[in-house]
Amino acid sequence: MSNAVATAVDAHAIAKRFGELSALRDVSVTAHAGEIHGLLGPNGAGKTTLLRILLGLVRRDAGDIWLFGRELPPRAERVPDGVAAVFEHPGFYPYLSGTRNLSLLARMDGRPAGDAARARAIERVGLTTAADRRVDGYSAGMRQRLGLAAALLRGPRLLLLDEPTSALDPAGARDVRELVRELAAAGAAIVISSHDLVEVEELCTSVTILRAGDLVFSGSLEHLRARAGDDAHHLATSDDDTALAIARECRGIRAARTGDCTHGFDAVGERDAVDAYVVALGRAGIAVRVLQPRQRSLESVFLRLTSTGDHQ
């Protein structure tokens, strides 16, 4: 393996089926030490399955995985040293405190953690005041933080995060993002699956995008933004719902509401297609009140890739 020291994850041609369902087909992903790598895709794209395969928790049907230059068997007996993960909705023993849960998990992992290590992990995720409370009194966000504390006890050089801020309030999400940056700055590789494109754009330098089990993009954010082109527009109309329905009937137009749109929606298409779409709206009696080009954005190209399967 070349560049083994700098490469934390080197996975090639991963495939996985669950019965008749093909969850992943010929998917490759690479993540480097000190890098925050985004894993994107709609629900059902295969993101969580891929993360579980990278941990060795799910047996892959095809492909090769190397972690830190060592080959990962199709079904590992245990999570490799230096690797940790936090999945959405982590599970804990509800009748135990946060501290006791961490102690038990560390013993089960074969690496008991001392009081100082547990306290440090709990402090880093902002749970110090709740450490001795029973977990059944924790909010979803607190459980998410406790899952991250458990991952930190492994001293990860590779950390896999599945929607790590989905249950957190804005302040909590900000704290987790800062911790992720600290870990990457210290040399850890982070692979983060997220539906929050703003978060990915803020944190990541490279991304992998999946659509229905297929790889549709893998590369730098700079490369991804460049693919957005100038064909994304923000529209607001007198009847956005009907305008979106008309877009589905217009050739060459892909339209959807996006996270940063308080009003209106984004439409992606070549200039001639956008012109024809605006004419179609007028014929339907829908007034176009706003029509402005969008800046090259991760959201516009993500919409294009995941709605059409246009590959890199």
Side-chain angles (χ1 to χ4, degrees), residues 111-171:
R111 55 184 80 229
D115 293 344
R118 289 197 308 271
R120 173 61 177 155
I122 287 171
E123 180 184 12
R124 293 184 77 182
V125 301
L127 277 179
T128 300
T129 59
D132 295 324
R133 287 167 44 189
R134 286 169 50 123
V135 169
D136 58 7
Y138 280 19
S139 66
M142 293 167 72
R143 289 172 182 254
Q144 197 82 344
R145 288 171 180 264
L146 188 61
L148 187 53
L152 292 178
L153 288 179
R154 301 200 98 226
R157 292 188 295 148
L158 169 63
L159 180 59
L160 309 178
L161 300 174
D162 189 18
E163 301 289 345
T165 61
S166 62
L168 301 177
D169 58 28

Side-chain angles (χ1 to χ4, degrees), residues 72-93:
L72 181 73
R75 181 63 182 267
E77 294 183 0
R78 64 190 305 274
V79 175
D81 290 340
V83 180
V86 181
F87 289 96
E88 198 173 9
H89 311 305
F92 296 100
Y93 293 97

Side-chain angles (χ1 to χ4, degrees), residues 19 22 26 45 68 216 231 257 275 283:
S22 182
D26 196 26
F68 305 110
V216 295
D231 57 357
R257 300 184 192 275
D275 289 346
R283 287 175 176 166

Side-chain angles (χ1 to χ4, degrees), residues 95-264:
Y95 51 86
L96 297 179
S97 69
T99 298
R100 291 193 63 192
N101 264 283
L102 291 187
S103 297
L104 180 59
L105 289 172
R107 289 200 302 271
M108 292 171 65
D109 193 30
R111 55 184 80 229
D115 293 344
R118 289 197 308 271
R120 173 61 177 155
I122 287 171
E123 180 184 12
R124 293 184 77 182
V125 301
L127 277 179
T128 300
T129 59
D132 295 324
R133 287 167 44 189
R134 286 169 50 123
V135 169
D136 58 7
Y138 280 19
S139 66
M142 293 167 72
R143 289 172 182 254
Q144 197 82 344
R145 288 171 180 264
L146 188 61
L148 187 53
L152 292 178
L153 288 179
R154 301 200 98 226
R157 292 188 295 148
L158 169 63
L159 180 59
L160 309 178
L161 300 174
D162 189 18
E163 301 289 345
T165 61
S166 62
L168 301 177
D169 58 28
R174 183 184 62 244
D175 291 344
V176 168
R177 287 193 290 268
E178 185 56 37
L179 177 57
V180 167
R181 290 191 188 95
E182 290 175 8
L183 292 170
I190 314 292
V191 178
I192 179 170
S193 167
S194 177
H195 283 92
D196 188 339
L197 298 180
V198 174
E199 177 176 75
V200 169
E201 200 159 14
E202 179 183 342
L203 286 175
C204 300
T205 56
S206 61
V207 294
T208 294
I209 300 179
L210 302 179
R211 175 182 180 269
D214 291 317
L215 177 71
V216 295
F217 179 86
S218 185
S220 69
L221 270 185
E222 183 180 358
H223 182 198
L224 184 62
R225 289 192 192 98
R227 296 193 57 182
D230 296 319
D231 57 357
H233 292 76
H234 177 63
L235 287 84
T237 72
S238 57
D239 186 348
D240 288 345
D241 290 338
T242 301
L244 284 166
I246 291 173
R248 290 192 287 271
E249 304 300 323
C250 287
R251 192 170 193 175
I253 290 292
R254 298 167 299 280
R257 300 184 192 275
T258 52
D260 60 344
C261 291
T262 305
H263 302 289

